[in-house]
Amino acid sequence: MTTERSRLLSRIHRRFQTIDTVFAIAGSRIPFTRIADPNVVLDAVAREEEDRSKVAAPEAAKPLHLPYWAELWESAIGIGQYICSQPGSILIGQSVLDLGCGMGLAGCFAAHLGAQVCFADMVPDALLFARLNSHPYASRVRTRQLDWRTDRLGEQFDLILGADILYERSQWEFLEPFWRLHLAPKGRVLLGEPGRQTGDLFIPWIQAKGWILTPHTETVPTRTVPIRLFELTPEP
């Protein structure tokens, strides 16, 4: 284990218990470290929020920030399967943004396939895991703390990945202009969605915004219903 990876893992283990997994997809093997029990993280955040609300003035209270990043979303596995099934050289040298990256699984597949990957999430702990998991590709990856509602990166990407980021309807109004601003000419957005009702509603909504949506499906081992993938490109 390299010194840098050891340092990252040591930082993580001060607060979290982890387990190691290897994802074997289409001939690719991706070692991956994740939260052992996401519910433990959720419970800890809920307790901290409860304690804080007891001493904070009501007007100072903020909504509970749920640690979605601590879940290993199956949509990320679906995205990984899909991009690994494409022609072998398609991502080599391409710029990729893993938006709302969580622990970084989708972006790690892209980096494994030769892409230059930026992992972006608003939660520093998520980015710590993304840095750890992408360490084998350290020369081609970076992390950025980002709130897609307010932050901008000042650059464009050939591919923007989003695993399970459509669950809140209220976020679409922020995501759509973010994608449009950060997508390179001839670029595309690839979203993984597990079949929620919000996913059904998203299809006509995004088409009405001037995007071409190409649907795909990926069957993942952990569920009977396939993951839906929405590939988006702006209308000419």
Side-chain angles (χ1 to χ4, degrees), residues 51-66:
D51 291 343
R52 190 194 65 80
S53 65
K54 291 177 181 178
V55 298
E59 62 272 13
K62 296 180 180 179
L64 174 63
H65 180 63
L66 299 178

Side-chain angles (χ1 to χ4, degrees), residues 22-23 35 50 58 108 125 139 161 178 181 213:
V22 175
F23 288 94
I35 293 286
E50 183 178 0
C108 282
D125 287 330
S139 64
L161 304 177
F178 185 95
L181 183 65
L213 185 150

Side-chain angles (χ1 to χ4, degrees), residues 20-232:
D20 294 327
T21 306
V22 175
F23 288 94
I25 296 175
S28 298
R29 293 179 60 84
I30 307 295
F32 196 79
T33 299
R34 58 189 175 93
I35 293 286
D37 186 349
N39 288 326
V40 171
V41 181
L42 177 58
D43 291 343
V45 171
R47 286 193 300 270
E48 291 172 4
E49 178 65 15
E50 183 178 0
D51 291 343
R52 190 194 65 80
S53 65
K54 291 177 181 178
V55 298
E59 62 272 13
K62 296 180 180 179
L64 174 63
H65 180 63
L66 299 178
Y68 297 115
W69 67 270
E71 291 280 358
L72 180 59
W73 297 110
E74 292 161 316
S75 294
I77 301 174
I79 287 175
Q81 288 183 180
Y82 179 77
I83 62 176
C84 285
S85 70
Q86 302 305 296
S89 62
I90 194 169
L91 287 185
I92 293 176
Q94 296 283 290
S95 58
V96 174
L97 174 63
D98 188 356
L99 184 62
C101 65
M103 292 178 284
L105 182 58
C108 282
F109 277 106
H112 176 78
L113 294 171
Q116 305 275 342
V117 180
C118 177
F119 294 88
D121 202 287
M122 69 183 301
V123 182
D125 287 330
L127 296 175
L128 195 59
F129 273 84
R131 286 175 60 193
L132 176 73
N133 286 316
S134 65
H135 186 263
Y137 326 104
S139 64
R140 291 186 281 104
V141 302
R142 54 198 165 97
T143 59
R144 173 72 182 268
Q145 187 175 0
L146 178 140
D147 183 339
W148 60 54
R149 297 172 299 178
T150 56
D151 297 332
R152 298 295 180 261
L153 293 170
E155 59 183 303
Q156 295 183 319
F157 299 86
D158 299 306
L159 176 63
I160 299 176
L161 304 177
D164 224 326
I165 63 174
L166 299 177
Y167 50 85
E168 289 185 359
R169 168 66 179 81
S170 61
Q171 296 303 310
W172 301 353
E173 300 289 351
F174 300 105
L175 285 167
E176 192 274 336
F178 185 95
W179 295 330
R180 197 173 287 277
L181 183 65
H182 291 87
L183 201 62
K186 300 183 180 180
R188 58 199 172 112
V189 179
L190 184 63
L191 307 171
E193 200 282 320
R196 295 189 179 96
Q197 184 179 14
T198 48
D200 296 334
L201 298 173
F202 176 77
I203 296 172
W205 184 89
I206 197 67
Q207 290 172 329
K209 291 286 185 178
W211 293 78
I212 299 168
L213 185 150
T214 304
H216 310 279
T217 58
E218 285 289 336
T219 300
V220 301
T222 52
R223 55 184 283 135
T224 56
V225 178
I227 293 294
R228 295 192 292 188
L229 300 178
F230 300 150
E231 184 175 354
L232 306 179

